[in-house]
Amino acid sequence: MAISIRQYGDLLAKYLRPQKLRVVLLAVLLVSGIALQLVNPQIVRYFIDTATGGGAMSALLAAAALFLGIAVFTQALSVAATYVGENVGWTATNMLRVDLALHCLRLDMPFHKTHTPGEMIERIDGDVTSLSKFFSQFVIQVLGNVLLMAGVLVLLIREDWRLGLVLTGFAILSAFVLNRSRNIAVPAVDAARQASADQFGFVEERLSGLPDIRTNGAGAYVMQGMLTVMRGMYKAGRQEWKMDAVLWMITIGLFTGGYILAFTIGAYLFKGGAITLGTMYLLFQYTEMLRIPLDQITDQLRDLQKASAGIGRAQRLYTMQPGIKDGRGADLPAGPLSVEFDGVSFGYGDEEMVIRDLSFRLEPGRVLGLLGRTGSGKTTITRLLFRLYDPDTGTIRLGGEDIRDAKLSDLRQHIGMVTQDVQLFEATVRDNLTLFDNSIPDERILEVLRELGMYSWYAALPTGLDTPLAPGGGGLSAGEAQLLAFVRVFLKDPGLVILDEATSRLDPATEQLIEWGVNKLLRDRTGIIIAHRLPTVQRADEILILEDGEIVEHGPRGPLAGDGQSRFSELLRTGLEEVLV
């Protein structure tokens, strides 16, 4: 993917504009350092000519002191420019990381099903890291080095027009060749970044599945896969190095030709008496100074190649837009919400339909027991309610409003869900309960803990709500993790609550502790309970049984349980655990 000058400019403007004062300071530091580089060779030329001409010692000492002072000050400017440049670069890349992470969070579930978390880490961190120098110094360094080259050539023309013209031609030729070769390594760099992303994805997937790998003796298979991934990284990295070496050899060839040209002309003019020994040194030093900006521009072109690959990959990520569009902003009513599926059919991608022409209505404040074998479509119903996916056909209404008309944030605020697997973060108890929402006061959190009978658990925490939790909720029992999920829903106070066997992982004592809390949670709210266990179903007002994505039975729980011919009655006699798993 070729990157245009406009795309470079747009990216720079977007992320450097908020730092314009620091960028200006960086420009002043770099340009000042470049200007001082032009002065010192003139001082050395004066020193050499004065010394060979029998000049006064005081003049030589003054020149030497001035040379050393300028050299030290130039180094100080370089250190300051490096500090400011790193600050600018990392601030810009961190802003880009935030934007990319937010964009990925907004992408649909199909995207995340085809891109592993490890790959996304490499996209958001690895690719963006390669842009640090591009943001901090690329434009200023290129412009500064162009100014340095122009200054050197002007001074050379002042010394001798023949020298100036020859070396000007050399500089123009070198710039042309380097510009023509600037994209030579971009495809190889892009392939290397993709290989790195593949490695991150492979490692992340295998680490997350470590228990299954160990229990099934699949270690050798995993290592064979790791070998394949690493071989791909090696090949891609070697090709990137080869292309980088080609650019390096082009640069070395140009510099060698420049030195030969400069020394040949300088020797001819010195032999003819047209220039002094000091001017001969000046010619050598300025030729070397021409090499420095060309060398730096070459390095910057290498950085630009890496940046081009990173920019291209970031922009390809940006081109992926969510298929779930935000609604116009229809207001969902407060309190318990009605739920209605009207002719809903849905399938994941090219797979066959998981739900077929599904139609039912749940009145506000009622609790629906949702039953069915694994793969019958129960979880898909919850995903459609949250608009993680949109149905292929049909309409879903919440509180009488088409959920596609509501803002996604508002829709998800009106629905609360507790599943068997609770995601806990490496953060404080407070942040895990509020999901990092600082607007929820501690008093409200403590009030909910009391409502759920969890205050004694809270009182045992070493530092209360500030107690840190280990990654993945390490140190908590499954029951305690489930209790935290219940608190989250209470704090959210939604109009619809979905419980996906939310108490199945609790020990009997803990389950008894929160049974009344669950009843309170469902009070004055609409509820959907996905159940495999008989006690869980007993609190439902209605039962809906799915099979292959279609409703095979739906009605009030009491009459269905009392009807010996109903499917629900059969399940109760047989045992839900045996039939529905």
Side-chain angles (χ1 to χ4, degrees), residues 18 23 42 66 168 176 186 291 338 371 374 421 471 537 552 578:
V23 173
Q42 297 283 348
L66 182 60
T168 298
F176 174 78
V186 170
R291 183 192 68 80
S338 62
L371 310 178
T374 300
D421 299 315
V537 174
V552 295
E578 297 180 9

Side-chain angles (χ1 to χ4, degrees), residues 61-134:
L61 291 174
L66 182 60
F67 175 86
L68 291 174
I70 292 177
V72 170
F73 188 59
T74 301
Q75 288 301 311
L77 287 177
S78 176
V79 171
T82 300
Y83 175 81
V84 176
E86 289 295 316
N87 202 332
V88 169
W90 282 104
T91 300
T93 51
N94 283 340
M95 287 192 291
L96 178 56
R97 285 187 184 92
V98 169
D99 288 347
L100 283 175
L102 183 59
H103 178 73
C104 289
L105 287 174
R106 289 171 174 167
L107 291 176
D108 299 335
M109 293 303 295
F111 169 84
H112 291 286
K113 286 183 68 176
T114 56
H115 295 79
T116 66
E119 182 183 356
M120 288 299 96
I121 291 172
E122 180 65 5
R123 289 287 161 275
I124 295 171
D125 183 60
D127 286 347
V128 174
T129 298
S130 67
L131 301 180
S132 177
K133 286 186 179 179
F134 170 75

Side-chain angles (χ1 to χ4, degrees), residues 233-444:
M233 278 192 68
Y234 165 73
K235 291 180 178 179
R238 182 179 61 181
Q239 186 64 22
E240 179 187 10
W241 180 86
K242 286 181 179 179
M243 292 298 99
D244 196 52
V246 169
L247 185 60
W248 180 80
M249 287 188 290
I250 291 173
T251 307
I252 292 298
L254 287 171
F255 293 159
T256 303
Y259 282 126
I260 293 172
L261 188 64
F263 279 116
T264 300
I265 297 173
Y268 171 77
L269 293 175
F270 180 72
K271 186 177 180 180
I275 59 175
T276 66
L277 182 61
T279 304
M280 183 66 185
Y281 165 79
L282 191 69
L283 170 61
F284 166 77
Q285 190 63 29
Y286 277 161
T287 303
E288 175 70 10
M289 290 184 68
L290 278 179
R291 183 192 68 80
I292 292 173
L294 286 172
D295 193 16
Q296 288 185 352
I297 288 173
T298 303
D299 288 339
Q300 287 150 9
L301 287 176
R302 291 194 190 102
D303 291 336
L304 181 61
Q305 289 173 351
K306 295 178 181 179
S308 297
I311 292 170
R313 297 169 76 80
Q315 289 187 334
R316 286 197 293 273
L317 192 56
Y318 273 130
T319 59
M320 299 177 183
Q321 294 299 317
I324 306 294
K325 302 300 181 183
D326 213 359
R328 57 181 174 80
D331 292 328
L332 297 176
L337 300 170
S338 62
V339 178
E340 183 179 358
F341 277 62
D342 185 4
V344 173
S345 297
F346 172 77
Y348 294 101
D350 296 330
E351 301 176 13
E352 62 179 85
M353 290 295 174
V354 178
I355 290 178
R356 300 178 181 86
D357 196 26
L358 190 67
S359 296
F360 71 89
R361 177 177 172 82
L362 180 64
E363 295 296 334
R366 301 276 288 179
V367 177
L368 176 69
L370 189 57
L371 310 178
R373 295 178 182 274
T374 300
S376 61
K378 304 187 301 297
T379 300
T380 298
I381 286 178
T382 65
R383 291 173 177 172
L384 292 175
L385 277 169
F386 278 100
R387 285 201 73 200
L388 300 180
Y389 299 88
D390 273 341
D392 296 318
T393 60
T395 303
I396 302 173
R397 299 181 183 88
L398 196 63
E401 296 284 350
D402 188 332
I403 62 173
R404 287 172 292 196
D405 293 335
K407 290 288 184 182
L408 286 171
S409 58
D410 187 40
L411 171 69
R412 292 165 185 173
Q413 186 62 35
H414 279 76
I415 307 175
M417 185 171 179
V418 181
T419 64
Q420 296 183 40
D421 299 315
V422 181
Q423 179 63 57
L424 296 174
F425 302 94
E426 186 177 3
T428 64
V429 170
R430 177 189 293 102
D431 288 336
N432 271 282
L433 293 177
T434 63
L435 291 179
F436 307 93
D437 184 355
N438 295 327
S439 66
I440 300 177
D442 289 355
E443 292 75 16
R444 174 57 182 158

Side-chain angles (χ1 to χ4, degrees), residues 65-243:
L66 182 60
F67 175 86
L68 291 174
I70 292 177
V72 170
F73 188 59
T74 301
Q75 288 301 311
L77 287 177
S78 176
V79 171
T82 300
Y83 175 81
V84 176
E86 289 295 316
N87 202 332
V88 169
W90 282 104
T91 300
T93 51
N94 283 340
M95 287 192 291
L96 178 56
R97 285 187 184 92
V98 169
D99 288 347
L100 283 175
L102 183 59
H103 178 73
C104 289
L105 287 174
R106 289 171 174 167
L107 291 176
D108 299 335
M109 293 303 295
F111 169 84
H112 291 286
K113 286 183 68 176
T114 56
H115 295 79
T116 66
E119 182 183 356
M120 288 299 96
I121 291 172
E122 180 65 5
R123 289 287 161 275
I124 295 171
D125 183 60
D127 286 347
V128 174
T129 298
S130 67
L131 301 180
S132 177
K133 286 186 179 179
F134 170 75
F135 281 122
S136 63
Q137 297 189 19
F138 178 76
V139 173
I140 297 173
Q141 285 277 24
V142 169
L143 292 177
N145 282 310
V146 169
L147 289 176
L148 177 58
M149 290 176 60
V152 167
L153 294 173
V154 168
L155 291 174
L156 283 172
I157 291 173
R158 286 184 59 191
E159 295 296 332
D160 188 284
W161 65 270
R162 291 163 293 185
L163 283 173
L165 288 180
V166 170
L167 290 178
T168 298
F170 164 73
I172 293 173
L173 175 64
S174 299
F176 174 78
V177 172
L178 291 174
N179 182 64
R180 293 287 294 178
S181 60
R182 69 185 176 91
N183 287 324
I184 192 172
V186 170
V189 173
D190 195 21
R193 300 307 305 170
Q194 180 60 49
S196 178
D198 292 342
Q199 183 221 14
F200 270 86
F202 181 90
V203 172
E204 181 275 331
E205 272 194 339
R206 272 56 185 184
L207 288 178
S208 63
L210 193 58
D212 289 335
I213 291 172
R214 285 181 171 176
T215 54
N216 289 283
Y221 171 78
V222 170
M223 293 310 298
Q224 182 63 37
M226 187 70 176
L227 177 64
T228 302
V229 171
M230 295 303 292
R231 184 182 292 117
M233 278 192 68
Y234 165 73
K235 291 180 178 179
R238 182 179 61 181
Q239 186 64 22
E240 179 187 10
W241 180 86
K242 286 181 179 179
M243 292 298 99

